[in-house]
Amino acid sequence: NAGVMQNPRHLVRRRGQEARLRCSPMKGHSHVYWYRQLPEEGLKFMVYLQKENIIDESGMPKERFSAEFPKEGPSILRIQQVVRGDSAAYFCASSPTGRVSDYGYTFGSGTRLTVV
Amino acid sequence: DAKTTQPNSMESNEEEPVHLPCNHSTISGTDYIHWYRQLPSQGPEYVIHGLTSNVNNRMASLAIAEDRKSSTLILHRATLRDAAVYYCILRYTGTASKLTFGTGTRLQVTL
C-alpha cells in the first residue's frame, strides 16, 4: 500500500522559471494538504484541497502560487516566476474522508526546491 | 487554533524512557491532541493521538492530564532512530482540517 508520493524529490529552477510539484495521495484519500518548510524553520500550512475544490488557501501567497487537485491525477502545486525565497521543502499530506477522530495524516517525503 | 507549548529541546540516553511534555491550557472540548515527529530530511510522521483517555500504540504512549491542559508523549525505550523534532498539535474534531505546527521539541538521543 503505497504512501503519499511526491515528485520530484529534488527540483532546481532558475529565477523566473515555473516549478510544478506533484502529490499523489494515499489510495482512498480524498483530502490533500500542502506545507512549506523554509531552511531551519517549522512547517507552514499553505492550502487544503479536496477533489476539484480548494477548501482552505489561507496560507498561500497571494501571487505566483496556485494549487489544484483534479478529479483524475495528482495534486499539483505550481509556483510561477520563482525567486530565491521560494527555495524550501514542500510537503504534501493526505487524509481520508470520515471522522477526523479516527486517523492521523500521512505525509510524503517532500520536494526540495532550489532556486538558483 | 488553540496553542501548544513545548520545550525547545531535550536529551535522552539510548534505551532510556523519554517523556516529552506539552502544555495546551486553552484546549477546547472538541480538540484532539495529536503528536507527529519529523526525522532529519524527511516528512512529518504521525505518532499518536487522543482525546481524554491515555493511548498506547506500537510507537509510543500518550498520557493526557485529567483537566486536558497538558499531555506527555512517552517513548518507552529511546533509540538513535528516535532523534527527531516532535510536534504536539491540537486538532479540531469537527471536520477534516489543517494541522498547525509549532516549533516542536528537538529530541537528541545519545549512546
Side-chain angles (χ1 to χ4, degrees):
Chain A
N1 187 14
V4 175
M5 304 300 293
Q6 289 189 251
N7 65 79
R9 285 298 304 274
H10 299 275
L11 181 62
V12 179
R13 284 287 177 265
R14 296 187 183 279
R15 280 178 294 169
Q17 290 185 320
E18 178 179 282
R20 288 167 63 94
L21 288 62
R22 294 174 185 76
C23 169
S24 295
M26 282 188 71
K27 189 176 179 181
H29 286 194
S30 57
H31 302 256
V32 165
Y33 312 80
W34 285 93
Y35 287 80
R36 176 166 67 172
Q37 188 169 35
L38 294 169
E40 303 304 319
E41 293 191 15
L43 290 116
K44 301 296 183 190
F45 168 78
M46 299 182 76
V47 62
Y48 160 34
L49 311 101
Q50 294 180 23
K51 286 283 187 182
E52 299 185 280
N53 285 306
I54 296 175
I55 306 302
D56 180 352
E57 57 182 344
S58 57
M60 285 280 270
K62 294 287 184 275
E63 297 178 351
R64 301 187 298 108
F65 285 73
S66 62
E68 62 177 7
F69 188 17
K71 188 176 179 182
E72 301 290 339
S75 176
I76 306 286
L77 179 68
R78 184 182 291 111
I79 311 172
Q80 296 178 303
Q81 299 174 335
V82 296
V83 301
R84 287 227 169 98
D86 297 332
S87 296
Y90 292 82
F91 294 98
C92 166
S94 72
S95 65
T97 300
R99 279 158 47 94
V100 297
S101 56
D102 294 339
Y103 57 83
Y105 289 170
T106 304
F107 281 80
S109 298
T111 293
R112 278 145 188 86
L113 172 66
T114 302
V115 179
V116 297
Chain B
D1 292 334
K3 197 170 163 57
T4 63
T5 305
Q6 299 177 253
N8 286 335
S9 63
M10 291 184 65
E11 283 188 27
S12 173
N13 294 323
E14 201 177 18
E15 299 194 5
E16 296 285 324
V18 181
H19 291 233
L20 296 162
C22 180
N23 287 319
H24 29 79
S25 57
T26 59
I27 191 171
S28 76
T30 52
D31 286 336
Y32 271 76
I33 302 159
H34 279 240
W35 284 81
Y36 287 76
R37 71 180 186 180
Q38 187 175 22
L39 279 65
S41 301
Q42 295 190 30
E45 175 186 29
Y46 165 78
V47 178
I48 200 166
H49 76 280
L51 183 63
T52 56
S53 304
N54 294 345
V55 185
N56 299 296
N57 66 21
R58 63 175 180 80
M59 288 183 73
S61 296
L62 177 60
I64 301 173
E66 200 168 325
D67 64 5
R68 301 211 324 127
K69 293 186 176 181
S70 65
S71 61
T72 302
L73 179 71
I74 303 165
L75 306 179
H76 295 287
R77 288 181 68 217
T79 70
L80 295 177
R81 288 175 294 184
D82 291 321
V85 179
Y86 287 78
Y87 297 96
C88 168
I89 301 169
L90 300 183
R91 175 134 178 258
Y92 174 62
T93 191
T95 58
S97 60
K98 65 192 183 205
L99 294 173
T100 301
F101 286 81
T103 52
T105 296
R106 184 174 298 276
L107 175 65
Q108 283 184 283
V109 181
T110 54
L111 292 169

